[in-house]
């Protein structure tokens, strides 16, 4: 009986996998993007194509989307003294990518910084599409099912931002996405509360010459995008890091830190950033009162990773390695992935560690590596300290060099493949230091329940059997000849 039950479960599982496979194939085959790109007439310098009497906009993350109601005969891309590749118009309307605006095409003009006007109103039209965070996985699948039955529009996960402004007197302010009417400051079409346009500026990053993309101030107030922060402006403020779409603002006078618009708990001030680089980390780590802290971008909260291991006299000797007395402290990271219900591997966790390696005999630098990294000696051991990182498939921060002749290869003859070969051949051996603390982010992948996938696939298969050209296979007949 037990074997029969197992066989039944296996059969159901295989059936579900088959349905999922068909579902994916249907979605791929029914996607016209390839034909639109290859066979459609392109409006030069823009994201628009004309295909079979319809106009499509290539939306980043969403493919080619039909512009509903656009007049194909009169449609053209918008031009002024510079191309605006994401704005088009016909005799009836103006379009921001595939979104219709209320602007009059006969009076359209470009204000600047992604703002447009027609003499009666102004509109902000973002240059790039943004993910619609309000659209859940469940609603996305449900939307596709309804759309397959001809109910509603096809759900779109990425859209350009379109915001209408009744004011026609706005002018560009500074640069991208900013405008003013002399009284108010607009960011992406929304008024920044209490902002003074006459003193408005972008906050600098730690270099002192690059502007922050999202932190702004006016001498009194500080903003992250359109959010007013609870901190007074000071010219000493600067952005210290940007990490996994999280941007950090630092006040050196008070030691306060913001992660985007989230303020670190003041009771742990003053904070100081430990890691500027991101080569071997998934989190920005901060020393604070009572320990080491990090911001989790998944929960949007500040967490304590553990006790502060540093004595206060530590010295940073590479991007990811510190020396403190007779110890090396170094940063390292890992990812945990697992099989998902819908197939493939899904990210579950990202971890960042501080590890310790005793060096009783001290340590001496032998030289910088031919690539990003350096070679060091402690007693009779030689180490390679990596600065390339996991993005270059170099998983660990510190490797022991097991063959002394390889030192010269590292210093003078290394390319990325040579380095990977040295690791793969065991000539560079990862050092297994003592883990002192860890920061972690747990990812809620929002997997679609298997029964939802099953019914979605079932409905689409049903629809395909009722169509004259099931699953769009007839489209490929001309390519078979």
């Amino acid at each position: 009986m037990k074997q029969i039950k197992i066989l039944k479960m296996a059969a159901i599982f295989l059936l579900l996998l088959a349905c999922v496979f068909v579902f994916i194939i249907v979605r791929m085959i029914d996607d016209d993007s390839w034909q639109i790109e290859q066979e459609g007439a392109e409006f030069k310098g823009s994201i628009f194509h004309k295909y079979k009497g319809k106009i499509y906009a290539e939306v980043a993350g969403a493919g080619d989307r039909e512009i509903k109601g656009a007049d194909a005969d009169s449609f053209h891309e918008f031009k002024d003294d510079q191309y605006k590749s994401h704005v088009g118009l016909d005799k009836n309307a103006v379009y921001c990518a595939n979104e219709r605006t209320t602007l009059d095409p006969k009076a359209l003009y470009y204000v600047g910084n992604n703002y447009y006007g027609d003499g009666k109103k102004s509109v902000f039209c973002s240059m790039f599409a943004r993910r619609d965070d309000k659209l859940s996985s469940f609603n996305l699948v449900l939307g596709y099912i309804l759309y397959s039955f001809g109910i509603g529009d096809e759900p779109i996960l990425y859209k350009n931002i379109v915001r209408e402004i009744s004011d026609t007197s706005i002018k560009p302010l500074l640069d991208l996405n900013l405008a003013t009417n002399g009284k108010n400051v607009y960011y992406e079409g929304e008024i920044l509360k209490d902002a003074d346009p006459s003193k408005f500026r972008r906050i600098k990053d730690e270099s002192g010459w690059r502007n922050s993309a999202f932190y702004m101030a006016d001498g009194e107030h500080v903003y992250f995008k359109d959010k007013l922060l609870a901190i007074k402006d000071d010219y000493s403020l600067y952005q210290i890091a940007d990490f996994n779409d999280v941007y950090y603002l630092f006040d050196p006078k008070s030691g306060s830190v913001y992660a985007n618009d989230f303020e670190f708990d003041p009771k742990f001030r003053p904070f100081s950033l430990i890691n500027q680089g991101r080569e071997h980390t998934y989190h920005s780590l901060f020393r604070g009162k009572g320990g080491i802290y990090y911001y989790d971008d998944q929960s949007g909260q500040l967490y304590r990773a553990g006790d502060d291991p540093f004595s206060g006299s530590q010295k940073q000797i590479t991007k990811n390695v510190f020396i403190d007395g007779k110890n090396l402290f170094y940063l390292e990271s890992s990812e945990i992935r697992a099989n998902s219900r819908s197939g493939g591997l899904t990210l579950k966790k990202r971890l960042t560690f501080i590890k310790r390696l005793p060096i009783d005999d001290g340590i001496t630098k032998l030289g910088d590596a031919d690539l990003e990294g350096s070679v060091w000696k402690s007693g009779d051991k030689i180490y390679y300290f990596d600065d390339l990182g996991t993005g270059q498939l170099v998983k660990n921060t510190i490797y022991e060099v097991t063959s002394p002749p390889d030192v010269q290869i590292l210093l003078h003859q290394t390319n990325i493949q040579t380095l990977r070969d040295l690791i793969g051949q065991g000539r560079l051996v990862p050092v297994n230091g003592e883990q002192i603390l860890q920061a972690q982010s747990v990812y809620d992948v929002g997997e679609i329940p298997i029964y939802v996938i099953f019914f979605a696939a079932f409905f689409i298969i049903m629809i395909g059997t009722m169509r004259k050209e099931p699953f769009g296979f007839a489209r490929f007949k001309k390519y078979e000849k």
Side-chain angles (χ1 to χ4, degrees), residues 36-50:
I36 292 169
E37 295 291 333
Q38 296 298 314
E39 301 175 12
E42 180 185 3
F43 293 88
K44 188 176 181 181
S46 78
I47 65 171
F48 302 106
H49 289 81
K50 182 178 179 180

Side-chain angles (χ1 to χ4, degrees), residues 173-228:
L173 177 65
L174 300 181
D175 47 39
L176 196 63
N177 301 334
L178 290 168
T180 182
N181 60 1
K183 179 182 179 182
N184 297 318
V185 174
Y186 293 90
Y187 176 80
E188 293 189 345
E190 294 186 327
I191 294 177
L192 297 185
K193 183 180 178 181
D194 299 328
D196 182 350
S198 67
K199 299 177 181 178
F200 206 75
R201 65 186 176 90
R202 288 195 183 272
I203 291 174
K204 302 290 184 181
D205 69 5
E206 68 272 14
S207 72
W209 59 271
R210 285 192 300 262
N211 287 329
S212 168
F214 302 114
Y215 284 113
M216 301 160 286
D218 68 354
E220 182 69 26
H221 309 95
V222 179
Y223 303 86
F224 176 76
K225 297 184 179 180
D226 59 342
K227 302 290 193 306
L228 175 62

Side-chain angles (χ1 to χ4, degrees), residues 311-370:
S311 66
S313 59
Q314 74 278 359
K315 179 181 178 182
Q316 187 170 5
I317 57 176
T318 72
K319 291 180 180 179
N320 301 287
V321 182
F322 302 79
I323 186 169
D324 193 347
K326 293 187 176 182
N327 291 301
L328 289 180
F329 292 98
Y330 61 98
L331 304 169
E332 209 159 74
S333 62
S334 70
E335 285 186 335
I336 297 176
R337 294 179 180 269
N339 291 324
S340 67
R341 292 186 297 242
S342 55
L345 293 176
T346 301
L347 178 63
K348 298 293 185 181
K349 281 186 181 181
R350 277 180 169 165
L351 305 162
T352 299
F353 308 102
I354 292 182
K355 296 184 176 182
R356 176 169 58 199
L357 178 66
I359 47 164
D360 295 331
D361 297 321
I363 194 163
T364 304
K365 185 176 182 180
L366 299 182
D368 291 321
D370 207 21

Side-chain angles (χ1 to χ4, degrees), residues 105-118:
K106 299 181 181 64
L108 178 65
Y109 61 89
Y110 183 54
V111 175
N113 294 351
N114 290 326
Y115 290 84
Y116 300 79
D118 63 4

Side-chain angles (χ1 to χ4, degrees), residues 411-464:
L411 292 176
H412 304 297
Q413 303 171 22
T414 309
N415 57 45
I416 186 62
Q417 190 55 52
T418 302
L419 181 63
R420 292 171 186 161
D421 290 342
L422 291 175
I423 296 170
Q425 295 165 10
R427 293 154 69 181
L428 292 181
V429 178
V431 168
N432 187 22
E434 176 191 2
Q435 181 179 314
I436 302 300
L437 57 79
Q438 75 172 31
Q440 72 170 8
S441 292
V442 179
Y443 288 80
D444 177 11
V445 296
E447 286 190 70
I448 303 168
I450 196 67
Y451 66 85
V452 175
I453 296 176
F454 172 78
F455 283 114
F458 175 76
F459 279 123
I460 292 176
I461 293 169
M462 290 282 291
I463 294 162

